[in-house]
Structures are given as structure tokens and as C-alpha cells.
């Protein structure tokens, strides 16, 4: 029995080896791909990656994308895993702002340059939000108050992109906030709705419903020009603070991935992000789709890293 | 009211809708019963499947899973002393001793009826009291969370019986474990030894699998040698499952426990982020206080009824802040938020205007799911216990060991979790040898970080003044209650000692 099992195993190994060898000659991809999400299931990154996986087979010769969650270490665990993965294009990282900030705030074996970006599919601009009953009716009023006293600002967690956005704002305004760090955006919303904190930094997509029904007030967006869907929300630029910031969501592979494979992935994800089904779902769920191809995304991340490098010495490296 | 009746009709008179709900309940029961798998993981896997589904089918599936998963966890907790989900940790305390006495059927029956009672109570709360309770949940700010954590911890003193000192030692160990990882306020890594895996603290589920599953494997292995010598190897009595449903006298006896525990579960459930673990401990603690004549931990029916009614009472009530405010109450209802958004729906007050049929079918779904859960649960539990006790204990243990390893791995797809599981397995074994209780450890690990975060946040808000805890009424009441709960057993113990000493003094 055991012997027969052994033989079967040998045959299986040989078959796998042969088909695996065939990959060299075949076109990419010839097996299923894997997206490593360095967060627990259920968050924005996880949900959007699962939306990508759903439409992917149409654009990947019928091959599937399997989403695997690898949470821990403030996303360091999953990010390290992909940085060290075989650079064959089959292991993809859900590449978010924390890839840039983690190496600056924690000891990591990678930096953002350890990856080859493939595609950015979402950009959610940063929003400054206050409770409905807040005395601050405008960005100007908020800034004036912050210059006089320590305003409490809720974030979804220490060293998240929203905490970093507040640090940049502190730096620009020359003020000091009292930070209320949470474990999730949900707790942050609870504190804002209950009026326990004076302000909060969030991604615009997470706040739309509260702003619409009037339970929270939006003071300003960190974008270049007013968003046509939310034309009532002013930009920071209008107040003389030239600040563009937000959470980006994209995909990347290990940096030594062959150029052909990167090209194939770049092409495939261009079609995936353009897929009407994907766009429809993203729009319904309130995630703004913004596409950048491999080279534009690489350049963009470089700019973000440069900005962060200037500000992050305030978040001391431990 | 009209919407509620329509939703009942939608579920009961549409076989497909009902079928999805039943299917969800069955899936929830199974994943709940398997250590390492739970409702959160299952919903995350199911949500992408619901993308293209009619929202009615999609939400019945999700509601079914969420409703029955924490009840499913009680089945292995009772039969094997291994909680299938974190929410049935306390159920092992009295559930397993009942199984050892050959009363597993009775224990399952109590767990089932209590779960259904708790579940129905919370679905009624969701149906009729959601807006009122949601505004109460918003009153909870950082000082209130701090006070709530203290209140939760104060139950340790009540639960510990004669071993207050041992419980306190374990509680402190738990609090120390809860400090592992980045400081929530400054990001400074504590006790991480440069290991990235420890930055977010010790993973909770592998810890539980170790404490219960692996420890039981060790204990069976320890008994193996002597049993081989005796020649009793692999022989085990198959207990008759017998009558499962409790009789009227038992229902009457458990009713007060059900009511108190459901009330606790519902109140804790509507507070975002408070969670099932706190609810089950507080309910168990209250059951002990109300039944001073019974020796808890030896297979007392109330000891199963309290946590099982409480954890199911958290289920639908954790949807209260989501449905009325758009704030998810816990990680599972956060997944409902995701599922709603993908269907293009925004939870919160506007949901009841934009898509009342979806909003009400979710609410009514919880009610119907609880009714389905009873009979389906008893059927599955009977079937499972029929198999489990026919397998030789040694073989079963090997299977449990395998399940533990895969479960711990699956939580984060990492071997590190397996190590954590093993370490806590050894720790649990040592604890048992020293007769140290597990419960205060689990409670302290969960509440430690909540307490720390609440303290930090309050101090930022009050600019360092501790008065913030006393000037806010809810926080003050909770702190006073914790002083009472923690103090009462200590006080009576001290009085007993004094009496004893006085007696001894009189004799000598």
C-alpha cells in the first residue's frame, strides 16, 4: 500500500517537474498566480484584491489569482515574504503605502525598491474630518484652533498612512496634535460620531456615507483640484497648504522578476483594472479607481518615498 | 412593522432564500466546531462568492454562518474540552466535566437551547431597539473602554473561588503577554526580540489552540504508557447520547441565567470592539454569583447556559451599530460592511431608505437563523458525538493534533503560529500540573490591550489627568461596579479567615 503510494508520488513529482519545465517555453502565466495580502481578511486591501481575483481569469489565459492573507508585524510579514519570494511573477504583493513607510519606521530586510511595481489600481485621498457638532466649520477655523491649542486627532493606528498624513500636516502648520491611535478605522469613526475626539484623518472612501448623511463634517481633502463628486469639500491647496496625500493600493512583484514577465503582468493588469465589472464593483464599494502602469507607478512610489524620507525622521526608527 | 413582516415572508416563502440560510447555518456550525476556523475567516472566503449573487441569497448565507459559528464552537468544547472558537472557551469549564460523567447529550442540549435563547434575544434587540442602543454605544469613548476593561478583569476575582492568589498570578501573566508588540501610542516594540512576527503581539487563535488542543494531546500522551501496561489501551466507554433537550424543570431552572446572560451579551454586543470574550466571562461570573450553592467547574448546567446564551446574544446585537450607524461592532460585522458595500449598499440610517428590503431581510434573517440552528445543531452534534466516542481516544488525539497544527497555520499562513501554538500547549500543560486556571490568562490577554489603549487615549484627551475616569458618569459607574465585584469575594475571604483565626484562638 505504502509502496504503491510511493510510486504514485514519484509519478506525480515527475509530472509536476515536466509541466513546470514546460513553463520556460510556454507563455506567462501557465499556472495560477498568488496575491499576498499582508493584512487580515476583510479590510479594504483584502476586499479590492479579491475583486481583482474575481475578474482576473478573463485576462490571464484563464488562470486564476488566489488571494492569501499573511497578516502580522504591521504588514511586514507579508511584505518580507514577497521580497524573498521566487521572482517568477507568480507571487504578487498587495503593494500599499506601508511598503514605503515600514522600512523607515521599523527594522526590515526590504525597502520599497525591493519590488517591481506592476499596477496601481486605487488612490483614496486623505480627508480631514470632524464631528457634526464640532465648532470648526472650515479648514481655516481648524487651523486657527490648532495653532492655539493641542487639538485631538484620531488615527486608525500608529504609523499608518493617516498618522503620517497628520504628521506632515503638523509639520506644515507648525502645530502639535494630541494623537488618539486606534486599532481600526471603525473605532475611529465611533470616536468621531460620539464626539470623543476633535478631528480625524481618514481615507475619503471610508467617510462618504457619514458626510452625505451629515453625521460627520469634512473640512478638507488633500488633493490638487476639487473632486467633482464632492465639490463642496475644499482642498488643502485652497487654504494655501500645498499637500497631496492619500492611500494608494497597487500590486508589485519581487524586483528580480524577468523583464518579459513584468511586461506580461503590466499588460494583463492594465486590462484587469479597465474591466467594466471590476470598475463597477469598486465604484459601488466606494473605492476610487486610479490606474498607473508599471513605469508610472514606479516613478510615483519614488516620489512618495522621497516625501516620506523628509518627514519620517520624526517617527523615530526603533 | 410592515417591512419586518414582508421580510419574514421573503425568507419563509421563498425556498431558495431559506435554503441559503440553512446552508449558511450548517457551514457555520462546521467551521465553528473546527479549531482554528471561525466565522471571520469563513465570511472573508465567502464574500467574493457573493459578489455576483442576489443580495437576498448573499446575506442569508452570511447571516447563517455568523449565527451558528459560535454555537458550533461549543460542541468540541463540551465533547473534547477543546473550544472550536474563542467564544466557547468558558463552555469547556462545565461542559467537559458533564461529558466525563456521561452526560454529553444533556450538555449539548443545554448549550443548544441557551444559544437559541441568546440568539433570539439579540435578534429581537436588533429588530426593535437598534436606534436607541446605537446612541448608547456612541457614549463610549476612551475612558469608558478603559473602565469596561477593568470591569471585565474584575470578574477574575469572582470566578477564582478559593484560589484568588493563583488566579491573580495567572491574570498578571496574561497582562504581561498582552504588552508584547508595538506600543499603541508610541510604536515602540516591546518584548519582540527583533522578531517581526511579534510586532502586532502574540496571535490569539494559535494561543487558544495551544492552551486547549495541544494541552489535551499532551495529557492523553502522558496517560498512554500506564494505560498500555494496564491493558486498557484504546478501550473507552461509549456514552449514550440519550435525551438531548432539557425538560421543563431544567428550562425553569436555567431561565434566570438565560435572561441575565442574554442581557449582558446584548449590552456588550452593541459596544463596538468590546467583543464576545468579555461577554462570556461576565455572564459566567454573574451565574456564579447568582448560584452560590453550586460548585462551578464540576459540570453545572448554568456554567454552560451562561456563556452560550451570552455569546449568541452578542451576534445580532453586534450588528446594531453597523445597521444604525454604519460602524461595525467587531471584525465579523466589519465583513458584513464589506459585503454590503460590494453590493453597492451603504450601511447606516440611509440603508433603511435606500434598500429597506435588504436591511430588513438581514435583521429578520438573524431571527430565523436562530430557529433553524436549534434542530440542525442537535442533529449535527448527535452525529458528531456518535462518531467521536467510537474512535479510540488515541486515534482521535492524533487527529486533534493534526487539526491543531493545520488550524494554527491557517490563521496567518505561517509556521510561526504553529510555534506559538506549541509553546502555549506546553504552558497549558504546566498550568494544569500546577492547578493554575486558564481563564484569567485568556481574559487578561484580550482585555490588557483594550485597557492600555483606553488609558493612553484618555490621558491624551485629559492632558494627563486621571480625573477623566471619575467625571464621566458611565466610566464612574463601571469602575465602582468593578471595585464591588473584585472586592466582594476578597472581603468574604478575609472575613472567613478572621473567623477561623478567632475560632482557633478560642480553642487554644
Amino acid at each position: 500500500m505504502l509502496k504503491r503510494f510511493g510510486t504514485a508520488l514519484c509519478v506525480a513529482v515527475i509530472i509536476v517537474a515536466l509541466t513546470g519545465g514546460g513553463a520556460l517555453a510556454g507563455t506567462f502565466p501557465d499556472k495560477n498566480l498568488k496575491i499576498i495580502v499582508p493584512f487580515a481578511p476583510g479590510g479594504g486591501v483584502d476586499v479590492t484584491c479579491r475583486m481583482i481575483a474575481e475578474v482576473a481569469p478573463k485576462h490571464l489565459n484563464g488562470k486564476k489569482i488566489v488571494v492569501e492573507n499573511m497578516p502580522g508585524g504591521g504588514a511586514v510579514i507579508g511584505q518580507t515574504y514577497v521580497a524573498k519570494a521566487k521572482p517568477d511573477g507568480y507571487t504578487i504583493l498587495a503593494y500599499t503605502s506601508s511598503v514605503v513607510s515600514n522600512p523607515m519606521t521599523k527594522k526590515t530586510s526590504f525597502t520599497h525598491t525591493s519590488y517591481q511595481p506592476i499596477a496601481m489600481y486605487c488612490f483614496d485621498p486623505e480627508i480631514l474630518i470632524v464631528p457634526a457638532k464640532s465648532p470648526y466649520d472650515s479648514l481655516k477655523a481648524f487651523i486657527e484652533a490648532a495653532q492655539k491649542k493641542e487639538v485631538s486627532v484620531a488615527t486608525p493606528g500608529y504609523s499608518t498612512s493617516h498618522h503620517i498624513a497628520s504628521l506632515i500636516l503638523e509639520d506644515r502648520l507648525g502645530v502639535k496634535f494630541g494623537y488618539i491611535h486606534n486599532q481600526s478605522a471603525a473605532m475611529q469613526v465611533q470616536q468621531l460620531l460620539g464626539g470623543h475626539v476633535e478631528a480625524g484623518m481618514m481615507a475619503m472612501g471610508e467617510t462618504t456615507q457619514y458626510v452625505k448623511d451629515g453625521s460627520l463634517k469634512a473640512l478638507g481633502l488633500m488633493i490638487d483640484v476639487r473632486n467633482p463628486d464632492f465639490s463642496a469639500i475644499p482642498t488643502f491647496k485652497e487654504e494655501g497648504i500645498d499637500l497631496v496625500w492619500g492611500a494608494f493600493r497597487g500590486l508589485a512583484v519581487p524586483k528580480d522578476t524577468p523583464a518579459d514577465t513584468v511586461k506580461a503582468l503590466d499588460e494583463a493588469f492594465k486590462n484587469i483594472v479597465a474591466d467594466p465589472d471590476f470598475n463597477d464593483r469598486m465604484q459601488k464599494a466606494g473605492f476610487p479607481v486610479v490606474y498607473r502602469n508599471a513605469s508610472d507607478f514606479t516613478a510615483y512610489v519614488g516620489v512618495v518615498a522621497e516625501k516620506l524620507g523628509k518627514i519620517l525622521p520624526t517617527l523615530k526608527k526603533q | 412593522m410592515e417591512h419586518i413582516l414582508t421580510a419574514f415572508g421573503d425568507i419563509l416563502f421563498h425556498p431558495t432564500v431559506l435554503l441559503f440560510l440553512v446552508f449558511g447555518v450548517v457551514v457555520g456550525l462546521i467551521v465553528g466546531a473546527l479549531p482554528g476556523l471561525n466565522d471571520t475567516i469563513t465570511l472573508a472566503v465567502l464574500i467574493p462568492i457573493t459578489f455576483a449573487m442576489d443580495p437576498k441569497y448573499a446575506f442569508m448565507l452570511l447571516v447563517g454562518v455568523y449565527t451558528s459559528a459560535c454555537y458550533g464552537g461549543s460542541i468540541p468544547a463540551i465533547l473534547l474540552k477543546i473550544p472550536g472558537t474563542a467564544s466557547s472557551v468558558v463552555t469547556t469549564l462545565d461542559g467537559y466535566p458533564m461529558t466525563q460523567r456521561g452526560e454529553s447529550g444533556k450538555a449539548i442540549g443545554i448549550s443548544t437551547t441557551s444559544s437559541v435563547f441568546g440568539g433570539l434575544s439579540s435578534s429581537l434587540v436588533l429588530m426593535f431597539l437598534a436606534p436607541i442602543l446605537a446612541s448608547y454605544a456612541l457614549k463610549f469613548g476612551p475612558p469608558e473602554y478603559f473602565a469596561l476593561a477593568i470591569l471585565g478583569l474584575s470578574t477574575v476575582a469572582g470566578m477564582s473561588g478559593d484560589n484568588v492568589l493563583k488566579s491573580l498570578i495567572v491574570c498578571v501573566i496574561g497582562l504581561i503577554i498582552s504588552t508584547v508588540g508595538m506600543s499603541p501610542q508610541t510604536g515602540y516594540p516591546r518584548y519582540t526580540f527583533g522578531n517581526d512576527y511579534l510586532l502586532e503581539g502574540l496571535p490569539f487563535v494559535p494561543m487558544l489552540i495551544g492552551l486547549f488542543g495541544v494541552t489535551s494531546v499532551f495529557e492523553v500522551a502522558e496517560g498512554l504508557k500506564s494505560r498500555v501496561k494496564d491493558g486498557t489501551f484504546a478501550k473507552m466507554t461509549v456514552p449514550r447520547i440519550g435525551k438531548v433537550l432539557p425538560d421543563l424543570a431544567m428550562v425553569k431552572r436555567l431561565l434566570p441565567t438565560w435572561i441575565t446572560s442574554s442581557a449582558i451579551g446584548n449590552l456588550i454586543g452593541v459596544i463596538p470592539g468590546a467583543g464576545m470574550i468579555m461577554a462570556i466571562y461576565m455572564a459566567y461570573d454573574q451565574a456564579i454569583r447568582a448560584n452560590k450553592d453550586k460548585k462551578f467547574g464540576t459540570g453545572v448546567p448554568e456554567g454552560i447556559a451562561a456563556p452560550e446564551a451570552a455569546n449568541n446574544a452578542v451576534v445580532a446585537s453586534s450588528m446594531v451599530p453597523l445597521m444604525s450607524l454604519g460602524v461595525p461592532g467587531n471584525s465579523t460585522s466589519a465583513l458584513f460592511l464589506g459585503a454590503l458595500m460590494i453590493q453597492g449598499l451603504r450601511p447606516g440610517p440611509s440603508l433603511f431608505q435606500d434598500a429597506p428590503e435588504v436591511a430588513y431581510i438581514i435583521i429578520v434573517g438573524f431571527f430565523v437563523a436562530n430557529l433553524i440552528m436549534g434542530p440542525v445543531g442537535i442533529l449535527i452534534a448527535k452525529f458528531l458525538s456518535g462518531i467521536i466516542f467510537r474512535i479510540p481516544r488515541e486515534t482521535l488525539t492524533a487527529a486533534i493534533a493534526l487539526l491543531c497544527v493545520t488550524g494554527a497555520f491557517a490563521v496567518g499562513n505561517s509556521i510561526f503560529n504553529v510555534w506559538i501554538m506549541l509553546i502555549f500547549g506546553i504552558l497549558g500543560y504546566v498550568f494544569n500540573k500546577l492547578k493554575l486556571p486558564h481563564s484569567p490568562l485568556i481574559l487578561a490577554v484580550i482585555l490588557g490591550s483594550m485597557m492600555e489603549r483606553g488609558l493612553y487615549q484618555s490621558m491624551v484627551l485629559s492632558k494627563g489627568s486621571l480625573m477623566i475616569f471619575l467625571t464621566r458618569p458611565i466610566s464612574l459607574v463601571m469602575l465602582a461596579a468593578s471595585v464591588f465585584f473584585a472586592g466582594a469575594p476578597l472581603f468574604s475571604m478575609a472575613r472567613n479567615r478572621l473567623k477561623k483565626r478567632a475560632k482557633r484562638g478560642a480553642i487554644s
Side-chain angles (χ1 to χ4, degrees), chain B residues 128-458:
Chain B
F128 298 112
L129 301 175
I132 305 165
L133 285 174
S135 59
Y136 143 83
L138 280 186
K139 294 214 165 68
F140 272 68
E144 284 76 20
Y145 278 97
F146 172 78
L148 186 64
I150 298 277
L151 183 63
L153 279 177
S154 74
T155 60
V156 168
M159 276 170 61
S160 47
D162 311 326
N163 282 317
V164 177
L165 188 65
K166 277 188 175 171
S167 293
L168 285 181
I169 292 171
V170 174
C171 184
V172 170
I173 296 175
L175 287 176
I176 293 171
I177 291 175
S178 81
T179 63
V180 172
M182 281 186 288
S183 152
Q185 194 63 22
T186 64
Y188 189 84
R190 307 170 298 193
Y191 305 114
T192 57
F193 309 103
N195 186 333
D196 293 340
Y197 284 97
L198 291 172
L199 280 176
E200 282 178 11
L202 286 162
F204 185 63
V205 174
M207 202 188 293
L208 275 189
I209 296 177
L211 276 178
F212 288 93
V214 178
T215 302
S216 83
V217 170
F218 285 153
E219 276 169 354
V220 171
E222 188 190 27
L224 211 56
K225 214 171 155 191
S226 59
R227 284 217 263 167
V228 173
K229 257 186 220 156
D230 300 346
T232 54
F233 184 80
K235 246 187 230 165
M236 205 173 141
T237 49
V238 181
R240 253 172 20 92
I241 303 301
K243 210 165 116 312
V244 172
L245 283 179
D247 51 25
L248 202 64
M250 183 55 97
V251 170
K252 257 189 188 159
R253 176 181 156 183
L254 292 179
L255 200 59
T257 312
W258 285 347
I259 293 172
T260 332
S261 308
S262 301
I264 292 173
N266 277 302
L267 282 177
I268 298 284
V270 295
I271 304 169
M276 272 184 198
I277 306 266
M278 187 181 310
I280 55 172
Y281 278 94
M282 287 173 88
Y284 191 70
D285 182 48
Q286 287 308 318
I288 293 177
R289 281 172 211 281
N291 298 279
K292 288 225 168 80
D293 51 323
K294 300 185 185 84
K295 187 121 180 73
F296 276 78
T298 58
V300 178
E302 282 83 357
I304 300 174
E308 284 306 313
N311 63 22
N312 279 80
V314 170
V315 173
S317 57
S318 73
M319 297 288 286
V320 166
L322 179 70
M323 300 300 276
S324 25
L325 303 167
V327 182
N330 57 14
S331 53
T332 317
S333 48
L335 287 164
F336 271 91
L337 174 77
L340 280 166
M341 291 194 342
I342 286 161
Q343 297 278 357
L345 300 168
R346 291 264 164 200
S350 53
L351 182 64
F352 291 88
Q353 286 140 34
D354 298 347
E357 73 288 353
V358 176
Y360 283 102
I361 207 169
I362 292 175
I363 292 173
V364 172
F366 275 103
F367 188 86
V368 181
N370 274 294
L371 293 179
I372 297 172
M373 184 176 80
V376 172
I378 288 179
L379 223 65
I380 289 186
K382 263 196 168 174
F383 172 72
L384 274 182
S385 49
I387 299 179
I388 282 176
F389 291 117
R390 250 172 263 280
I391 304 170
R393 182 80 190 183
E394 289 72 18
T395 317
L396 185 65
T397 304
I400 291 172
L402 198 67
L403 219 58
C404 289
V405 174
T406 47
F409 181 81
V411 173
N413 287 313
S414 87
I415 291 293
F416 176 79
N417 286 349
V418 179
W419 287 112
I420 293 290
M421 174 204 79
L422 197 61
I423 291 168
F424 276 87
I426 296 168
L427 189 75
Y429 180 75
V430 174
F431 267 33
N432 284 355
K433 287 274 155 202
L434 299 175
K435 296 215 160 43
L436 292 171
H438 289 168
S439 315
L441 185 82
I442 297 159
L443 191 65
V445 166
I446 289 280
L447 296 185
S449 44
M450 182 175 167
M451 186 168 78
E452 190 190 5
R453 203 173 280 277
L455 180 64
Y456 270 131
Q457 295 184 338
S458 308

Side-chain angles (χ1 to χ4, degrees), chain B residues 87 89 104 115 163 190 249 266 298 301 400 402 408 412 469 479 485 508:
Chain B
S87 52
V89 191
S104 57
S115 298
N163 282 317
R190 307 170 298 193
N266 277 302
T298 58
I400 291 172
L402 198 67
F469 299 116
L479 286 176
F485 286 150
S508 63

